[in-house]
Amino acid sequence: MTLMERSTASYCFLCKPILTYPARRPAPLTEEERLLKEVRDLEAEASRGTSSRKSHVSSGITFPLSPEAQFMLKSLHTATTHNLVQLAIDTTKETIELEGCEAIEAQDLQRAISDSAPRFSFFVFHRKTGS
């Protein structure tokens, strides 16, 4: 094979190789990486035929908000009469109810939030501007 033939067989006119080389072998895996790969492969094999993994545990519960709670939460960012809204779960009706709302300072939050009953508390901090 002449020099010209070898150069045209190995490179195109933009000097990019056109010969294919054997694929590079991946770096050897550590024992931990190998085990993780096996787990991923087994999970993929087990989930074939399903669109996604399904949990045996519920992904969540949904309780509707009472109309009062919805109104107070929506008005919280523009309200001048309150900056703390507290909601409680009514387990008998399976709803989230308005527990209370008030205007307080940030340092009084600990006093306002019950330490004996679970609550969802939403507080808007108003920064005072000026001197």
Side-chain angles (χ1 to χ4, degrees):
M1 182 182 281
T2 66
L3 180 60
M4 186 60 143
E5 291 171 333
R6 273 187 278 164
S7 64
T8 56
S10 300
Y11 294 91
C12 69
F13 76 98
L14 295 176
C15 298
K16 291 184 181 177
I18 57 173
L19 293 179
T20 58
Y21 297 99
R24 288 181 30 178
R25 300 175 98 184
L29 300 177
T30 65
E31 184 66 20
E32 184 178 353
E33 291 171 329
R34 189 184 59 73
L35 289 173
L36 286 172
K37 182 180 181 324
E38 285 179 22
V39 169
R40 281 194 303 270
D41 292 345
L42 288 172
E43 286 178 345
E45 184 178 322
S47 68
R48 284 192 188 120
T50 61
S51 60
S52 65
R53 274 196 233 168
K54 297 193 181 197
S55 175
H56 299 288
V57 179
S58 174
S59 62
I61 56 175
T62 303
F63 287 179
L65 278 172
S66 70
E68 299 85 15
Q70 286 181 16
F71 176 76
M72 291 309 246
L73 284 174
K74 287 179 181 176
S75 67
L76 185 60
H77 71 285
T78 58
T80 57
T81 58
H82 63 279
N83 63 345
L84 173 67
V85 172
Q86 294 191 63
L87 308 176
I89 297 176
D90 184 339
T91 55
T92 57
K93 295 191 295 184
E94 293 186 349
T95 59
I96 299 176
E97 301 290 329
L98 177 66
E99 182 64 27
C101 60
E102 61 182 299
I104 65 167
E105 295 294 323
Q107 63 267 19
D108 298 326
L109 274 173
Q110 186 175 3
R111 172 197 55 80
I113 298 174
S114 172
D115 59 355
S116 61
R119 300 282 182 263
F120 296 103
S121 300
F122 300 88
F123 176 75
V124 174
F125 177 75
H126 295 290
R127 179 174 293 178
K128 295 178 183 172
T129 57
S131 61

